[in-house]
């Protein structure tokens, strides 16, 4: 299935600095199969020009399980409105707890949702008390992870409210970006072993918990994602390799009260550093900007723009990735027992290497420093059996960091 242009996480990033465009509150179905955490709770959704902010207020039960918000975006777009999934039956990703909840499948047990007529989600927000993430749904494979939803607080199962946010770029209607867009969503609550409660938002739900069975909801919620009356519209942000440089360019329109564009770079897509800035012209017409990174990192280069207003507020663009030739190439995998990490290095020269491994929510599993002398294989005894999931392995050398994702089965 082709990639979908998203309403909530879109290709065109727009900043408008804290203006509220639209907000609404949705309530649970009153069911209490898992203690009423969702069934007697509420979800407040607020759109600003740069973010969608979700405030989940739980019911009386502790937040012990996972909330999944299935989303159908671009409902009114004839090109994309009919694409999406009619059921979770073909979802097979259980590589971490939230992905298992997204799929309704833990590798053994399955709880299928057959979505109601008119609702064909393409993406989802999934969160528990420890982490929240935004995903593109995929059948027969890994759901595509978009980014963290920055849940607050973290690790507190008894908090009254939880706040999450993801970028919002306004209308995704390419023919008329000033046209509001309809979206639909359905909220369900289930354990990460795929055992589903009867607690929903958007559907009345059954009288008893669904468990590892099939359920056919008949309704869903809908809302309108507003177009953006913004002080700056970031039409695009792209980059290209040019010999030993990276050329970045972006196009804006309707600039007002913008001071500058900070250029931020990262080796892993998480930790960004400012490497330069370009002053804004505050042109109401389209304006093309350029910046050359004359000393890009070897390997992955993640870039984003920090859009700084004259009163000091900062909003961020989407992240783009450009790959440069790597001076340190390596393979990484675990043994069948998941106890030993194997690293095969090529052309790393000599010197100190920092090897790190993190899980899918950024928690560091281990780190170690070795003196590399040309040996092309290195083994790390993890002293533990890793859970099934996706892990990041990174090697740092001479201030540069190189990362790979591995799947532990």
């Amino acid at each position: 299935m082709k990639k979908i242009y998203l309403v909530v996480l879109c290709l065109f990033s727009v900043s408008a600095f804290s203006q509220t465009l639209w907000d609404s509150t949705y309530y649970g179905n009153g069911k209490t199969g898992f203690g009423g955490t969702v069934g007697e709770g509420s979800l407040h959704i607020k759109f600003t020009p740069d973010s969608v902010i979700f405030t989940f207020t739980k019911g009386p039960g502790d937040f012990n399980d996972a909330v999944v918000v299935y989303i159908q975006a671009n409902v009114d777009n004839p090109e994309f409105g009919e694409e999406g999934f009619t059921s979770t039956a073909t979802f097979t990703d259980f590589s971490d707890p939230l992905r298992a909840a997204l799929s309704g499948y833990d590798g053994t047990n399955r709880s299928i949702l057959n979505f109601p007529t008119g609702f064909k989600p393409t993406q989802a927000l999934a969160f528990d008390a420890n982490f929240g993430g935004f995903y593109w749904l995929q059948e027969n494979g890994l759901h595509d992870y978009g980014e963290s939803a920055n849940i607050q607080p973290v690790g507190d199962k008894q908090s009254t409210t939880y706040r999450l946010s993801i970028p919002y770029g306004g209308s995704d209607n390419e023919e008329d970006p000033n046209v509001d867009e309809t979206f639909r969503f359905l909220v369900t609550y289930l354990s990460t072993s795929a055992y589903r409660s009867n607690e929903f938002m958007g559907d009345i739900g059954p009288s008893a918990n669904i468990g590892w069975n099939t359920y056919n909801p008949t309704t869903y919620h809908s809302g309108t994602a507003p177009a953006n009356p913004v002080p700056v519209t970031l039409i695009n942000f792209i980059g290209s390799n040019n010999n030993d440089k990276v050329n970045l360019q972006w196009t804006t329109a309707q600039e007002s009260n913008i001071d500058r564009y900070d250029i931020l770079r990262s080796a892993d897509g998480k930790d960004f550093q400012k490497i330069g800035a370009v002053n804004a012209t505050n042109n109401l017409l389209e304006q093309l900007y350029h910046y050359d990174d004359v000393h890009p990192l070897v390997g992955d280069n993640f870039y984003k723009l920090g859009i700084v207003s004259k009163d000091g507020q900062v909003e961020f663009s989407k992240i783009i990735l450009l790959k440069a030739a790597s001076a340190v190439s390596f393979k990484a995998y675990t043994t069948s027992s998941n106890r030993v990490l194997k690293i095969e290095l090529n052309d790393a020269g000599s010197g100190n290497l920092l090897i790190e491994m993190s899980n899918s929510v950024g928690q560091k599993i281990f780190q170690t420093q070795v003196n590399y002398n040309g040996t092309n294989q290195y083994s790390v005894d993890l002293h533990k059996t890793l859970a099934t999931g996706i892990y990041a392995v990174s090697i740092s050398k001479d201030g540069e960091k190189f990362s790979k994702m591995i799947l532990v089965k």
Side-chain angles (χ1 to χ4, degrees):
M1 191 174 100
K2 73 170 81 171
K3 291 281 189 180
I4 305 297
Y5 288 96
L6 302 176
V7 166
V8 249
L9 188 64
C10 67
L11 295 178
F12 300 127
S13 298
V14 184
S15 294
F17 307 114
S18 303
Q19 177 186 7
T20 298
L21 298 177
W22 176 87
D23 64 73
S24 188
T25 301
Y26 301 87
Y27 296 93
N29 59 356
K31 302 299 172 60
T32 59
F34 277 17
T37 305
V38 168
E40 295 186 348
S42 65
L43 184 66
H44 179 259
I45 305 176
K46 174 183 175 181
F47 284 85
T48 72
D50 57 279
S51 299
V52 185
I53 301 168
F54 299 85
T55 302
F56 171 55
T57 301
K58 77 174 184 63
D62 288 348
F63 190 13
N64 296 319
D65 298 285
V67 174
V68 176
V69 185
Y70 292 107
I71 301 167
Q72 179 185 6
N74 302 296
V75 172
D76 299 326
N77 189 317
E79 183 177 359
F80 302 116
E82 293 303 315
E83 293 196 13
F85 296 97
T86 59
S87 173
T88 65
T90 57
F91 295 165
T92 58
D93 186 1
F94 61 96
S95 55
D96 61 46
L98 286 182
R99 291 170 182 269
L102 280 171
S103 298
Y105 177 60
D106 69 352
T108 302
N109 305 297
R110 183 181 285 282
S111 175
I112 296 174
L113 280 186
N114 292 320
F115 297 119
T117 301
F119 180 64
K120 301 173 75 174
T122 55
Q123 58 233 233
L125 174 69
F127 61 96
D128 56 21
N130 298 309
F131 182 76
F134 194 80
Y135 302 81
W136 289 272
L137 299 173
Q138 300 291 333
E139 60 183 351
N140 301 316
L142 297 176
H143 300 302
D144 288 345
Y145 173 69
E147 61 184 275
S148 169
N150 306 303
I151 189 169
Q152 295 291 332
V154 175
D156 183 355
K157 296 183 178 182
Q158 298 178 329
S159 177
T160 302
T161 60
Y162 301 83
R163 185 183 185 274
L164 306 98
S165 65
I166 56 177
Y168 173 63
S171 172
D172 215 23
N173 188 318
E174 294 183 351
E175 295 183 358
D176 188 352
N178 295 313
V179 174
D180 294 347
E181 302 247 17
T182 301
F183 66 97
R184 297 167 181 164
F185 68 97
L186 179 68
V187 182
T188 181
Y189 189 45
L190 71 167
S191 74
T192 54
S193 64
Y195 191 92
R196 196 180 305 275
S197 76
N198 61 355
E199 300 183 32
F200 286 82
M201 294 181 186
D203 185 78
I204 192 171
S207 58
N209 285 331
I210 297 164
W212 294 307
N213 295 295
T214 298
Y215 179 65
N216 305 316
T218 58
T219 56
Y220 49 83
H221 281 311
S222 63
T224 301
N228 281 317
V230 298
V232 60
T233 299
L234 185 60
I235 297 174
N236 60 32
F237 175 40
I238 59 176
S240 60
N241 290 306
N242 181 8
N243 295 323
D244 57 349
K245 298 188 295 185
V246 170
N247 302 134
L248 301 172
Q249 69 177 45
W250 58 99
T251 305
T252 66
Q254 299 176 322
E255 285 179 316
S256 175
N257 197 41
I258 305 301
D259 181 69
R260 67 184 187 275
Y261 299 92
D262 288 341
I263 294 86
L264 307 172
R265 185 183 67 193
S266 169
D268 59 7
K270 298 178 181 178
D271 298 321
F272 283 84
Q273 301 294 326
K274 179 180 174 180
I275 60 170
V278 175
N279 291 330
T281 63
N282 286 299
N283 192 336
L284 294 179
L285 302 177
E286 286 193 9
Q287 177 70 42
L288 179 63
Y289 291 92
H290 297 271
Y291 181 86
D292 288 340
D293 183 1
V294 297
H295 298 294
L297 303 176
V298 177
D300 290 345
N301 287 264
F302 296 86
Y303 297 95
K304 67 180 178 180
L305 298 176
I307 306 169
V308 185
S309 71
K310 290 185 177 180
D311 58 5
Q313 297 187 65
V314 182
E315 304 294 346
F316 298 100
S317 73
K318 68 169 185 174
I319 297 171
I320 62 174
L321 169 63
L322 284 96
K323 294 180 178 290
S326 176
V328 176
S329 61
F330 69 97
K331 296 180 181 179
Y333 54 92
T334 59
T335 60
S336 58
S337 65
N338 298 340
R339 294 182 60 87
V340 177
L341 174 68
K342 296 286 188 178
I343 305 248
E344 296 182 5
L345 294 160
N346 295 303
D347 303 323
S350 62
N352 291 326
L353 298 178
L354 178 65
I355 300 175
E356 300 174 287
M357 187 173 185
S358 303
N359 63 17
S360 60
V361 297
Q363 297 170 326
K364 193 171 294 183
I365 303 298
F366 80 90
Q367 70 175 30
T368 185
Q369 185 166 302
V370 299
N371 187 278
Y372 182 72
N373 59 6
T375 303
N376 64 359
Q377 289 190 345
Y378 190 78
S379 297
V380 178
D381 190 344
L382 302 175
H383 302 293
K384 63 178 70 176
T385 299
L386 297 180
T388 297
I390 297 175
Y391 295 83
V393 177
S394 64
I395 293 178
S396 301
K397 182 176 184 291
D398 299 330
E400 296 179 338
K401 190 173 185 178
F402 313 92
S403 300
K404 289 185 180 295
M405 307 301 289
I406 65 171
L407 175 61
V408 174
K409 297 183 179 181

